Amino acid sequence: MAGGGAGAPGAVEASAAPDTREHLFKVLVVGELGVGKTSIIKRYVHKLFSQHYRATIGVDFALKALNWDSRTLVRLQLWDIAGKRARAERRRGARGSDKWKNDLDSKVHLHNGSPIPAVLLANICDQNKDSGHNPSQMDQFCKDHGFSGWFETSAKDNINIDEAARFLVEHILANCKHFPSEDNDVDKIKLDQETSVGERRAQCC
């Protein structure tokens, strides 16, 4: 979801009171081609769903503003990272997320060097009523591979999209308590800069 992508800012801007603490976070949405990354983002930001999204080429982004509480405004940049054609990986289910998580951990980390919070989504659950996801096994998988948690989701039926996002933001904010203080998170990233994803410094995902 880079600034030069095809997507336009998608959320109604929330206004902040003078004493409100503002945060700006990047959220990377990664996974194989066709798993529903764009649909998840469109559902979360625009409350819309379509069967006819074109495959993302390169990177696209959208914005979401959340009045988290009476004194906290959270702005999210959701970066839609194009997936690769790897049907074999998709057939492996959760195990196919290993390479994405490893790649993420090798490139982005918190200020203290720890992995960034990550949530595993078992998407398109509306088409997989008998997916066979064993909650205890999935919990153990997340523990073993460094995911904060997991959710079965459906962009089509709007299942667990908001819940998964809120869960992730909660973990991001918990980590932010240990970050160096900053005068204004929002000023750290200028959306109109034509800077590549690799040149942008990840703040928190």
Side-chain angles (χ1 to χ4, degrees):
M1 306 167 207
V12 176
E13 283 296 305
S15 58
D19 61 344
T20 297
R21 173 63 173 167
E22 294 189 40
H23 299 278
L24 174 61
F25 301 129
K26 289 183 180 179
V27 176
L28 307 180
V29 183
V30 298
E32 300 298 334
L33 181 70
V35 298
K37 299 183 299 295
T38 300
S39 294
I40 288 172
I41 293 169
K42 296 293 186 183
R43 169 62 77 178
Y44 181 55
V45 174
H46 301 283
K47 306 302 181 184
L48 297 174
F49 176 80
S50 172
Q51 298 276 12
H52 307 293
Y53 292 130
R54 293 180 296 177
T56 302
I57 300 175
V59 182
D60 197 2
F61 83 97
L63 304 179
K64 179 80 170 182
L66 305 170
N67 285 309
W68 191 255
D69 57 37
S70 60
R71 299 186 60 185
T72 308
L73 175 64
V74 174
R75 300 181 192 275
L76 302 178
Q77 286 184 357
L78 293 106
W79 295 60
D80 187 354
I81 311 299
K84 298 179 180 179
R85 295 181 179 274
R87 294 181 180 178
E89 291 292 339
R90 292 202 300 274
R91 286 198 297 268
R92 292 173 60 207
R95 293 190 301 275
S97 67
D98 290 357
K99 69 166 190 167
W100 291 103
K101 185 64 164 64
N102 292 337
D103 189 49
L104 188 66
D105 290 344
S106 70
K107 293 180 171 62
V108 189
H109 51 77
L110 300 178
H111 288 74
N112 62 5
S114 300
I116 61 174
V119 175
L120 178 63
L121 302 184
N123 195 39
I124 320 180
C125 68
D126 56 284
Q127 295 182 14
N128 299 287
K129 301 298 185 182
D130 299 317
S131 61
H133 290 134
N134 182 299
S136 61
Q137 291 180 352
M138 292 296 290
D139 290 343
Q140 187 62 47
F141 178 88
C142 289
K143 181 179 179 180
D144 292 342
H145 296 277
F147 289 96
S148 301
W150 69 283
F151 290 82
E152 286 191 325
T153 60
S154 168
K156 179 181 179 181
D157 293 344
N158 195 21
I159 298 173
N160 283 336
I161 302 298
D162 289 344
E163 290 81 358
R166 184 170 184 86
F167 178 85
L168 179 60
V169 173
E170 286 174 347
H171 280 73
I172 294 172
L173 288 172
N175 279 303
C176 281
K177 295 178 181 179
H178 306 291
F179 288 174
S181 60
E182 298 175 348
D183 292 334
N184 193 339
D185 295 336
V186 177
D187 291 336
K188 292 298 180 181
I189 299 176
K190 301 298 184 183
L191 298 181
D192 58 356
Q193 288 179 337
E194 294 183 0
T195 308
S196 68
V197 177
E199 294 170 337
R200 294 179 184 264
R201 180 181 177 186
Q203 292 188 6
C204 189
C205 305

